[in-house]
PDB file of all heavy atoms in Angstrom:
ATOM      1  N   GLU A 173     -13.569 -11.876   8.363  1.00  0.00           N
ATOM      2  CA  GLU A 173     -13.804 -12.322   6.981  1.00  0.00           C
ATOM      3  C   GLU A 173     -12.717 -11.812   6.023  1.00  0.00           C
ATOM      4  O   GLU A 173     -12.484 -12.406   4.974  1.00  0.00           O
ATOM      5  CB  GLU A 173     -15.179 -11.844   6.498  1.00  0.00           C
ATOM      6  CG  GLU A 173     -16.320 -12.647   7.079  1.00  0.00           C
ATOM      7  CD  GLU A 173     -17.680 -12.030   6.777  1.00  0.00           C
ATOM      8  OE1 GLU A 173     -17.805 -10.796   6.759  1.00  0.00           O
ATOM      9  OE2 GLU A 173     -18.630 -12.796   6.577  1.00  0.00           O
ATOM     10  N   CYS A 174     -12.094 -10.691   6.376  1.00  0.00           N
ATOM     11  CA  CYS A 174     -11.079 -10.127   5.466  1.00  0.00           C
ATOM     12  C   CYS A 174      -9.777 -10.921   5.496  1.00  0.00           C
ATOM     13  O   CYS A 174      -8.951 -10.784   4.590  1.00  0.00           O
ATOM     14  CB  CYS A 174     -10.787  -8.671   5.825  1.00  0.00           C
ATOM     15  SG  CYS A 174     -12.184  -7.601   5.482  1.00  0.00           S
ATOM     16  N   ASN A 175      -9.593 -11.720   6.550  1.00  0.00           N
ATOM     17  CA  ASN A 175      -8.423 -12.600   6.615  1.00  0.00           C
ATOM     18  C   ASN A 175      -7.101 -11.856   6.392  1.00  0.00           C
ATOM     19  O   ASN A 175      -6.304 -12.229   5.531  1.00  0.00           O
ATOM     20  CB  ASN A 175      -8.615 -13.694   5.543  1.00  0.00           C
ATOM     21  CG  ASN A 175      -7.986 -14.986   5.975  1.00  0.00           C
ATOM     22  OD1 ASN A 175      -7.440 -15.066   7.077  1.00  0.00           O
ATOM     23  ND2 ASN A 175      -8.041 -15.977   5.110  1.00  0.00           N
ATOM     24  N   PHE A 176      -6.889 -10.816   7.180  1.00  0.00           N
ATOM     25  CA  PHE A 176      -5.711  -9.974   6.975  1.00  0.00           C
ATOM     26  C   PHE A 176      -4.414 -10.683   7.347  1.00  0.00           C
ATOM     27  O   PHE A 176      -4.364 -11.446   8.313  1.00  0.00           O
ATOM     28  CB  PHE A 176      -5.816  -8.700   7.829  1.00  0.00           C
ATOM     29  CG  PHE A 176      -6.864  -7.729   7.359  1.00  0.00           C
ATOM     30  CD1 PHE A 176      -7.889  -7.332   8.209  1.00  0.00           C
ATOM     31  CD2 PHE A 176      -6.826  -7.211   6.079  1.00  0.00           C
ATOM     32  CE1 PHE A 176      -8.853  -6.430   7.780  1.00  0.00           C
ATOM     33  CE2 PHE A 176      -7.782  -6.312   5.638  1.00  0.00           C
ATOM     34  CZ  PHE A 176      -8.794  -5.919   6.497  1.00  0.00           C
ATOM     35  N   GLY A 177      -3.367 -10.394   6.589  1.00  0.00           N
ATOM     36  CA  GLY A 177      -2.017 -10.859   6.914  1.00  0.00           C
ATOM     37  C   GLY A 177      -1.054  -9.745   6.542  1.00  0.00           C
ATOM     38  O   GLY A 177      -1.500  -8.641   6.188  1.00  0.00           O
ATOM     39  N   TYR A 178       0.228 -10.047   6.562  1.00  0.00           N
ATOM     40  CA  TYR A 178       1.237  -9.039   6.190  1.00  0.00           C
ATOM     41  C   TYR A 178       1.053  -8.667   4.718  1.00  0.00           C
ATOM     42  O   TYR A 178       1.231  -9.500   3.847  1.00  0.00           O
ATOM     43  CB  TYR A 178       2.628  -9.612   6.479  1.00  0.00           C
ATOM     44  CG  TYR A 178       3.778  -8.866   5.836  1.00  0.00           C
ATOM     45  CD1 TYR A 178       3.985  -7.509   6.092  1.00  0.00           C
ATOM     46  CD2 TYR A 178       4.657  -9.505   4.981  1.00  0.00           C
ATOM     47  CE1 TYR A 178       5.031  -6.833   5.498  1.00  0.00           C
ATOM     48  CE2 TYR A 178       5.716  -8.836   4.390  1.00  0.00           C
ATOM     49  CZ  TYR A 178       5.881  -7.490   4.647  1.00  0.00           C
ATOM     50  OH  TYR A 178       6.920  -6.811   4.054  1.00  0.00           O
ATOM     51  N   ARG A 179       0.652  -7.439   4.472  1.00  0.00           N
ATOM     52  CA  ARG A 179       0.370  -6.932   3.111  1.00  0.00           C
ATOM     53  C   ARG A 179      -0.548  -7.898   2.347  1.00  0.00           C
ATOM     54  O   ARG A 179      -0.350  -8.162   1.169  1.00  0.00           O
ATOM     55  CB  ARG A 179       1.659  -6.746   2.307  1.00  0.00           C
ATOM     56  CG  ARG A 179       2.613  -5.712   2.846  1.00  0.00           C
ATOM     57  CD  ARG A 179       2.031  -4.302   2.720  1.00  0.00           C
ATOM     58  NE  ARG A 179       3.032  -3.304   3.013  1.00  0.00           N
ATOM     59  CZ  ARG A 179       3.380  -2.923   4.246  1.00  0.00           C
ATOM     60  NH1 ARG A 179       2.773  -3.443   5.299  1.00  0.00           N
ATOM     61  NH2 ARG A 179       4.299  -1.996   4.426  1.00  0.00           N
ATOM     62  N   ASN A 180      -1.562  -8.392   3.059  1.00  0.00           N
ATOM     63  CA  ASN A 180      -2.376  -9.434   2.449  1.00  0.00           C
ATOM     64  C   ASN A 180      -3.792  -9.435   3.017  1.00  0.00           C
ATOM     65  O   ASN A 180      -4.021  -8.999   4.149  1.00  0.00           O
ATOM     66  CB  ASN A 180      -1.722 -10.795   2.729  1.00  0.00           C
ATOM     67  CG  ASN A 180      -1.953 -11.761   1.604  1.00  0.00           C
ATOM     68  OD1 ASN A 180      -2.743 -11.507   0.689  1.00  0.00           O
ATOM     69  ND2 ASN A 180      -1.284 -12.905   1.665  1.00  0.00           N
ATOM     70  N   SER A 181      -4.750  -9.920   2.220  1.00  0.00           N
ATOM     71  CA  SER A 181      -6.142 -10.059   2.668  1.00  0.00           C
ATOM     72  C   SER A 181      -6.858 -10.989   1.703  1.00  0.00           C
ATOM     73  O   SER A 181      -6.305 -11.379   0.667  1.00  0.00           O
ATOM     74  CB  SER A 181      -6.856  -8.705   2.645  1.00  0.00           C
ATOM     75  OG  SER A 181      -7.185  -8.380   1.302  1.00  0.00           O
ATOM     76  N   ILE A 182      -8.109 -11.282   2.028  1.00  0.00           N
ATOM     77  CA  ILE A 182      -8.921 -12.144   1.152  1.00  0.00           C
ATOM     78  C   ILE A 182      -9.107 -11.508  -0.235  1.00  0.00           C
ATOM     79  O   ILE A 182      -9.267 -12.204  -1.235  1.00  0.00           O
ATOM     80  CB  ILE A 182     -10.287 -12.438   1.820  1.00  0.00           C
ATOM     81  CG1 ILE A 182     -10.980 -13.602   1.134  1.00  0.00           C
ATOM     82  CG2 ILE A 182     -11.201 -11.211   1.846  1.00  0.00           C
ATOM     83  CD1 ILE A 182     -12.064 -14.240   1.966  1.00  0.00           C
ATOM     84  N   PHE A 183      -9.017 -10.163  -0.280  1.00  0.00           N
ATOM     85  CA  PHE A 183      -9.230  -9.461  -1.552  1.00  0.00           C
ATOM     86  C   PHE A 183      -8.043  -9.610  -2.508  1.00  0.00           C
ATOM     87  O   PHE A 183      -8.122  -9.219  -3.672  1.00  0.00           O
ATOM     88  CB  PHE A 183      -9.518  -7.971  -1.306  1.00  0.00           C
ATOM     89  CG  PHE A 183     -10.689  -7.751  -0.391  1.00  0.00           C
ATOM     90  CD1 PHE A 183     -10.507  -7.298   0.905  1.00  0.00           C
ATOM     91  CD2 PHE A 183     -11.974  -8.046  -0.812  1.00  0.00           C
ATOM     92  CE1 PHE A 183     -11.584  -7.121   1.757  1.00  0.00           C
ATOM     93  CE2 PHE A 183     -13.061  -7.882   0.032  1.00  0.00           C
ATOM     94  CZ  PHE A 183     -12.868  -7.419   1.327  1.00  0.00           C
ATOM     95  N   LYS A 184      -6.929 -10.134  -1.991  1.00  0.00           N
ATOM     96  CA  LYS A 184      -5.770 -10.393  -2.857  1.00  0.00           C
ATOM     97  C   LYS A 184      -5.713 -11.870  -3.206  1.00  0.00           C
ATOM     98  O   LYS A 184      -4.860 -12.292  -3.966  1.00  0.00           O
ATOM     99  CB  LYS A 184      -4.476 -10.047  -2.095  1.00  0.00           C
ATOM    100  CG  LYS A 184      -3.921  -8.682  -2.380  1.00  0.00           C
ATOM    101  CD  LYS A 184      -2.598  -8.511  -1.673  1.00  0.00           C
ATOM    102  CE  LYS A 184      -1.531  -8.018  -2.605  1.00  0.00           C
ATOM    103  NZ  LYS A 184      -0.284  -7.720  -1.864  1.00  0.00           N
ATOM    104  N   ASN A 185      -6.579 -12.662  -2.572  1.00  0.00           N
ATOM    105  CA  ASN A 185      -6.533 -14.112  -2.742  1.00  0.00           C
ATOM    106  C   ASN A 185      -7.854 -14.648  -3.290  1.00  0.00           C
ATOM    107  O   ASN A 185      -8.192 -14.356  -4.432  1.00  0.00           O
ATOM    108  CB  ASN A 185      -6.128 -14.770  -1.424  1.00  0.00           C
ATOM    109  CG  ASN A 185      -4.695 -14.398  -1.055  1.00  0.00           C
ATOM    110  OD1 ASN A 185      -3.771 -14.899  -1.664  1.00  0.00           O
ATOM    111  ND2 ASN A 185      -4.505 -13.490  -0.115  1.00  0.00           N
TER     112      ASN A 185
END
Side-chain angles (χ1 to χ4, degrees):
E173 284 171 324
C174 292
N175 212 2
F176 290 122
Y178 165 58
R179 296 292 190 279
N180 213 350
S181 77
I182 195 161
F183 304 108
K184 263 185 129 174
N185 294 286

